[in-house]
Amino acid sequence: MSDSASTRPRPELLAPAGSRESVRAAIENGADAVYFGLDCGFNARVRAANFHPDELPEVMAELHRRSVRGYVTLNTLAFSNELEEVEQLVRLATQAGVDALLVQDIGVARLAKAICPELPLHASTQMTLTSAECIEVARELGIERVVLARELSIREIADIRRQTDIPLEVFVHGALCVAYSGQCLTSESLGGRSANRGQCAQACRLPYELVCDGEDVDLGEMKYLLSPQDLAAYALIPDLIDAGVCSLKIEGRLKQPEYVANITKRYRDAIETAVNGGLVQLDAIAVQEMELSFSRGFSPGWLGGCDHKMLVPGLSSAKRGILLGQVTAVRGSRVEVELAAPISAGDGVVFEGDRVSNAEQGGRVFHVRQNGRANDSAIASGRVELEFGNGVLDFNALWPGQQLWKTDDPQLTKRLRQTFTGDRILRRVPLRLTVTAAVDQPLLIEGRAANGATCRVDSASPLEAARRHPLTEDVLREQLSRLGQTIFELTDLDTLISGEPMIPLSVLGSLRREMIKQLEATPAQRPMREAAEQSPLAEMRAAIADRVTRRSGATAGLFGSAISSGTSTARHVGSGTHPDAESASGTSLSVLCRNLPQLEAVLDAGISSVMADFADTRQYREAVTTSHERGAEILIATPRIQKPDEAPLFKALEKHGADGILVRNLAGLRYYSSRDIPVVADFSLNAANELTVEWLIDQGASRATASYDLNREQLLDLVAATPPDWLEVVIHQHMPMFHMEHCVFCAVLSPGTNKTNCGRPCDDHVVQLRDRVGMEHPLTADVGCRNTLFNATPQSAAEAVPALLRSGIRHFRIELLSDSPSEIAATIDLYRRLLAGEVTGQHVWKTLNATNRVGVTRGTLEASGTFPV
């Protein structure tokens, strides 16, 4: 055992809480901290019970009384008309003594820091921070801890730790999203619900079929191509501590308190083993009990690196618990099973889907028989007959060889509930006492607990000299540690004994009772912070309004440079407009291309402002050359994700000589703006309110692309609160739904496990994923082998364009996907005519067979399919 292993620091264990019972479960089973959301929104788990804001002081008092920290999640995007409510919630959190806020939205982070600079901010995993470069930019927002993306390996985490001193928090257990958190637009695109607003519809758990080069691929039982197994990293805790992680986080605010109790206790024990230099191993029963609380199958996730086949086996997406065994015979209403795990009467089971519809069926076991006799106790092995209640199962749909799983164990549930219900105290608050005892002096007991509680008691009479049994430290420890059913536990005792005093045990008992009374009467210690008296939001908005006033009368080029009286005040490029259409009004129409043939078609259509987002970034040089030869200006796009070993790509893109960069992560924004290279901040930076937009502009962006989470009304609210030339609006696109570290190409079209051995089938095949309603969604891979699944149907904001033009927006974008040259020409022509006022928005989207929608969530004016203009 190495010295470092025997002296590991103890990381925080952070547990989820979707209810008050879950808070108690986390406390009693050893959590150091709990994170939870409020039921008024702005948290990434709106389907959890959550907590009313009025409960916040009481919840924080309960946590602090037990020496547990409480973190409140404000980790969704906030729209312009919601910032006042956010401000009030931050004030409430400050007053209630919340230990930290988890945030996603850049504007929310700015506002919270302005309201209370002392209130710690933790960057949620929704902020998509994947490198030290990204983290250093976030630090300037006042971020004090970062919840890293789940897609990072331990090696990458260690690399980040070596490059930043900001504390790092990592998920170690629970459900894995297949898409990068903060970058998933699937729920919105398919169902009008925003994952960035806490309303994930879990579309990744649905079945999909693979279409390759126009042909269906038979994948057998593999149907759940985007549903990862659950993360279970208990064995990796020593490596995570050695990598520099300060907090180990359990996912599960939507799960039951029994799950919180079970998983928290297992990780508490694993941490203590790791800190003491031991090897973390859980026996088979412990793992089975964890799986019974919730499991889609356990894996180390991405922590060991990418293994796409292991991460997504594709055979199921539902909670199944543990494999119970296999059907050997069906006899009337009895099912004979060869056991692989223990079974008892009352347990819940589910059989694998039938051979026709794949529908699963299950129920509770009524009787368990072995060798013809019913058994009341658990049976762990051999063959048994299971009996079920009348009408529970269709026995004709069962067959020999069919697998079944144990999904519920009432005895386990009962045992777990006992840890957090009733008056039983399992987790105690450490107490340190100092006792001073001297002949002819009163006995003095002074104490301080980890929760800040204090006591000071002394005997009414001075101590006499002992005749036979002088007072000893052992006697004091034994008597004063009798704290009964209090929350306190004597952990440290300092004694100062002079001479050989004695004290009757009855007196010592009375002093102990008074000591307990004082400790319990002490209010829980909480952080004392002050919120700003005046509204920082009002001041920040006034500053933006002043910038609007000072910029009035100026028009903007492609990179937002102010141009007034014929004098350019900064590097800029032209309008990128058609000479006969929108140029007269100063409107710019840019087109994003995915390959060189599309670029040629766009240039043939007369577009002079283009963007390139190519899978093969080596083709950017040719794209730049071609654009410049045709008199067009070009931006090239960065990937959405930048990991620790991928920073050199920024330099490689710089060398291509483009007119600017479409940046999609904070690291890219900092890299290019620090070199005075014009940049446009893309949608992935989630500009949903004016505070975020202003910050992106101040960081060097010429413009910010409006967030795809904004519907029409919300977009217009943002435009009203922001200088229009700060914004660019995408008005035609195939919505990028999933953006994933997981590679479907590798998982199903290659014998390999990751990009080092997959053979790059993405270079040779055109792939779509067909959903349950028959839509075939295109799948692509970028330069980092990350997959994006695009919506099969384009969407158009055409009907919102007149209102946007009236509001001053002048920068619009079309994003192509797999469009042919003829389709490109028709699309560009329609939007040019729309911007020139020659056709209606309805004509545009209907002609293009697009959905009529702004962003990913429908507004009230979008429900009918048309907008008043």
Side-chain angles (χ1 to χ4, degrees):
M1 183 187 307
S2 68
D3 290 340
S4 62
S6 62
T7 57
R8 289 190 179 103
R10 179 175 281 102
E12 173 187 83
L13 177 58
L14 178 56
S19 67
R20 289 295 289 269
E21 274 200 321
S22 291
V23 168
R24 181 75 187 277
I27 290 172
E28 299 298 349
N29 286 278
D32 298 305
V34 170
Y35 66 103
F36 57 92
L38 304 177
D39 64 8
C40 55
F42 307 110
N43 89 83
R45 294 292 184 273
V46 296
R47 290 189 291 122
N50 294 311
F51 299 84
H52 192 278
D54 292 346
E55 293 182 87
L56 192 53
E58 183 180 342
V59 172
M60 290 308 307
E62 179 182 3
L63 289 168
H64 288 154
R65 179 172 176 267
R66 303 298 297 278
S67 196
V68 177
R69 293 176 290 280
Y71 307 145
V72 169
T73 58
L74 292 180
N75 59 339
T76 65
L77 302 184
F79 304 141
S80 295
N81 65 346
E82 298 171 331
L83 293 176
E84 288 88 354
E85 184 178 359
V86 171
E87 180 173 18
Q88 294 308 309
L89 291 175
V90 174
R91 291 181 179 278
L92 179 61
T94 301
Q95 295 162 2
V98 167
D99 293 290
L101 296 178
L102 277 85
V103 296
Q104 172 191 11
D105 191 293
I106 289 171
V108 170
R110 293 184 64 204
L111 180 57
K113 190 54 67 172
I115 294 168
C116 182
E118 295 80 24
L119 179 59
L121 299 182
H122 296 176
S124 167
T125 190
Q126 291 282 117
M127 201 174 266
T128 326
L129 300 179
T130 55
S131 69
E133 291 86 356
C134 290
I135 290 170
E136 288 307 306
V137 181
R139 183 201 293 270
E140 298 175 13
L141 291 165
I143 298 297
E144 297 181 27
R145 183 195 288 187
V146 169
V147 186
L148 291 173
R150 294 174 176 92
E151 289 80 0
L152 291 164
S153 69
I154 292 177
R155 180 188 64 81
E156 291 166 334
I157 292 168
D159 285 347
I160 292 172
R161 171 76 284 162
R162 285 189 287 269
Q163 298 176 61
T164 181
D165 60 358
I166 286 188
L168 304 177
E169 180 178 308
V170 170
F171 279 96
V172 292
H173 194 94
L176 287 173
C177 303
V178 75
Y180 273 92
S181 294
Q183 300 298 316
C184 183
L185 301 170
T186 311
S187 297
E188 303 93 315
S189 185
L190 297 180
R193 295 165 51 180
S194 170
N196 281 329
R197 300 277 290 170
Q199 299 168 328
C200 174
Q202 297 201 335
C204 55
R205 306 300 179 187
L206 299 176
Y208 294 89
E209 297 173 337
L210 189 80
V211 181
C212 181
D213 301 327
E215 301 290 334
D216 286 9
V217 178
D218 185 359
L219 297 176
E221 298 300 315
M222 289 184 62
K223 300 181 183 298
Y224 300 94
L225 305 182
L226 302 177
S227 181
Q229 297 191 87
D230 288 350
L231 174 64
Y234 50 85
L236 299 176
I237 288 176
D239 298 323
L240 287 165
I241 297 174
D242 293 344
V245 174
C246 78
S247 180
L248 304 179
K249 186 171 191 174
I250 298 168
E251 180 275 339
R253 283 189 283 148
L254 287 171
K255 297 187 174 75
Q256 297 300 311
E258 292 84 359
Y259 164 92
V260 175
N262 191 356
I263 305 306
T264 301
K265 180 63 167 65
R266 298 299 183 187
Y267 277 85
R268 176 79 273 156
D269 293 344
I271 288 172
E272 297 310 311
T273 298
V275 167
N276 292 318
L279 180 65
V280 178
Q281 292 180 317
L282 297 184
D283 60 35
I285 293 177
V287 174
Q288 286 181 354
E289 289 185 349
M290 292 169 70
E291 290 179 312
L292 280 168
S293 283
F294 196 96
S295 169
R296 298 183 181 93
F298 283 166
S299 82
W302 285 279
L303 290 171
C306 284
D307 183 339
H308 300 293
K309 288 179 166 57
M310 174 274 296
L311 183 75
V312 183
L315 301 177
S316 176
S317 67
K319 170 195 174 184
R320 279 185 161 180
I322 60 175
L323 179 65
L324 180 62
Q326 190 173 81
V327 175
T328 55
V330 181
R331 299 186 181 93
S333 61
R334 295 181 180 180
V335 183
E336 184 183 82
V337 173
E338 183 72 34
L339 290 177
I343 185 70
S344 299
D347 289 349
V349 302
V350 63
F351 294 83
E352 70 174 299
D354 65 50
R355 291 162 169 165
V356 179
S357 66
N358 203 40
E360 296 179 342
Q361 59 173 334
R364 292 206 176 274
V365 176
F366 193 66
H367 285 303
V368 180
R369 297 182 181 274
Q370 191 170 51
N371 300 323
R373 296 192 306 272
N375 287 266
D376 294 329
S377 58
I379 299 175
S381 61
R383 290 195 177 187
V384 297
E385 284 188 326
L386 307 182
E387 295 183 19
F388 297 85
N390 292 332
V392 172
L393 297 177
D394 177 6
F395 293 95
N396 293 323
L398 306 181
W399 69 91
Q402 187 178 22
Q403 291 184 323
L404 70 160
W405 283 262
K406 179 177 173 179
T407 58
D408 182 53
D409 183 336
Q411 293 302 312
L412 172 62
T413 300
K414 180 180 179 181
R415 175 158 54 86
L416 292 171
R417 283 198 65 80
Q418 288 174 344
T419 67
F420 59 88
T421 55
D423 297 329
R424 189 180 178 196
I425 302 294
L426 295 181
R427 179 214 181 94
R428 299 186 185 274
V429 178
L431 172 65
R432 183 177 196 128
L433 295 177
T434 300
V435 180
T436 305
V439 176
D440 295 330
Q441 297 293 327
L443 180 79
L444 176 63
I445 303 174
E446 297 175 294
R448 185 175 187 85
N451 66 356
T454 60
C455 63
R456 189 181 192 280
V457 297
D458 53 14
S459 60
S461 302
L463 303 183
E464 297 179 3
R467 296 184 181 89
R468 291 176 19 184
H469 300 295
L471 185 63
T472 66
E473 181 174 327
D474 288 342
V475 170
L476 287 169
R477 183 177 296 277
E478 197 238 335
Q479 292 297 316
L480 297 180
S481 63
R482 295 179 179 180
L483 301 176
Q485 280 301 302
T486 72
I487 64 172
F488 301 103
E489 176 184 25
L490 179 60
T491 55
D492 297 283
L493 177 63
D494 299 322
T495 59
L496 301 171
I497 302 176
S498 301
E500 293 187 337
M502 63 82 64
I503 186 170
L505 294 183
S506 60
V507 175
L508 202 53
S510 297
L511 293 173
R512 182 184 68 244
R513 288 188 288 274
E514 177 61 24
M515 176 187 78
I516 292 172
K517 182 179 179 181
Q518 290 186 19
L519 288 169
E520 291 185 330
T522 305
Q525 189 177 47
R526 66 181 184 88
M528 301 302 295
R529 305 186 183 100
E530 296 293 332
E533 292 185 7
Q534 302 300 318
S535 169
L537 177 60
E539 295 174 2
M540 297 164 88
R541 281 176 163 167
I544 294 174
D546 182 60
R547 295 173 74 164
V548 173
T549 301
R550 286 188 280 111
R551 294 171 70 95
S552 63
T555 59
L558 178 61
F559 294 110
S561 307
I563 307 169
S564 183
S565 303
T567 301
S568 173
T569 62
R571 178 180 174 184
H572 68 278
V573 293
S575 66
T577 56
H578 189 271
D580 299 323
E582 65 275 8
S583 59
S585 62
T587 302
S588 167
L589 179 63
S590 302
V591 180
L592 183 144
C593 311
R594 309 286 180 179
N595 52 52
L596 287 169
Q598 285 187 348
L599 177 65
E600 291 282 359
V602 169
L603 295 173
D604 288 343
I607 291 292
S608 59
S609 169
V610 296
M611 298 178 177
D613 180 20
F614 294 176
D616 186 351
T617 58
R618 294 171 298 182
Q619 294 181 347
Y620 279 160
R621 183 171 297 278
E622 183 177 351
V624 171
T625 300
T626 299
S627 299
H628 288 169
E629 288 175 349
R630 302 282 295 272
E633 291 155 342
I634 180 171
L635 285 78
I636 57 178
T638 71
R640 282 161 75 174
I641 302 299
Q642 179 253 327
K643 281 191 167 186
D645 59 350
E646 296 172 352
L649 181 62
F650 294 143
K651 181 68 173 178
L653 297 185
E654 180 183 1
K655 292 179 179 178
H656 292 309
D659 299 289
I661 305 293
L662 184 65
V663 295
R664 291 172 168 168
N665 54 66
L666 293 180
L669 177 62
R670 174 57 48 85
Y671 179 89
Y672 294 109
S673 62
S674 67
R675 287 161 174 77
D676 294 325
I677 296 172
V679 298
V680 171
D682 207 7
F683 72 95
S684 52
L685 292 171
N686 288 321
N689 57 67
E690 61 269 29
L691 303 186
T692 298
V693 174
E694 182 188 39
W695 187 84
L696 292 171
I697 297 298
D698 289 343
Q699 295 299 308
S702 300
R703 285 192 308 283
T705 308
S707 167
Y708 290 169
D709 280 272
L710 299 165
N711 64 30
R712 179 180 186 263
E713 295 99 311
Q714 293 156 351
L715 176 59
L716 291 174
D717 284 344
L718 174 63
V719 173
T722 308
D725 59 328
W726 284 2
L727 292 173
E728 181 165 313
V729 178
V730 178
I731 54 175
H732 183 92
Q733 64 176 319
H734 290 259
M735 185 64 67
M737 300 189 298
F738 292 112
H739 187 63
M740 307 172 282
E741 190 72 19
H742 175 59
C743 181
V744 178
F745 294 94
C746 177
V748 300
L749 295 178
S750 165
T753 57
N754 56 52
K755 63 184 178 183
T756 67
N757 56 25
C758 69
R760 294 193 61 84
C762 55
D763 290 341
D764 303 318
H765 300 289
V766 176
V767 170
Q768 294 91 26
L769 298 187
R770 183 186 296 124
D771 65 20
R772 295 182 301 174
V773 299
M775 298 299 294
E776 296 180 1
H777 305 292
L779 184 74
T780 67
D782 68 11
V783 64
C785 293
R786 296 176 187 103
N787 286 192
T788 302
L789 187 70
F790 290 88
N791 196 312
T793 303
Q795 73 177 51
S796 171
E799 289 203 13
V801 166
L804 291 170
L805 286 170
R806 289 195 298 271
S807 298
I809 294 296
R810 292 297 178 263
H811 297 285
F812 298 92
R813 188 195 310 169
I814 295 170
E815 294 197 348
L816 307 175
L817 185 57
S818 56
D819 308 68
S820 67
S822 60
E823 291 171 331
I824 291 170
T827 300
I828 291 173
D829 180 65
L830 278 168
Y831 281 101
R832 275 182 172 151
R833 292 168 62 197
L834 173 67
L835 291 170
E838 299 172 0
V839 296
T840 66
Q842 185 181 75
H843 174 77
V844 171
W845 66 263
K846 285 190 172 182
T847 302
L848 295 174
N849 293 317
T851 56
N852 174 32
R853 181 184 292 183
V854 176
V856 291
T857 53
R858 284 198 181 278
T860 56
L861 297 178
E862 294 171 281
S864 64
T866 58
F867 298 130
V869 295

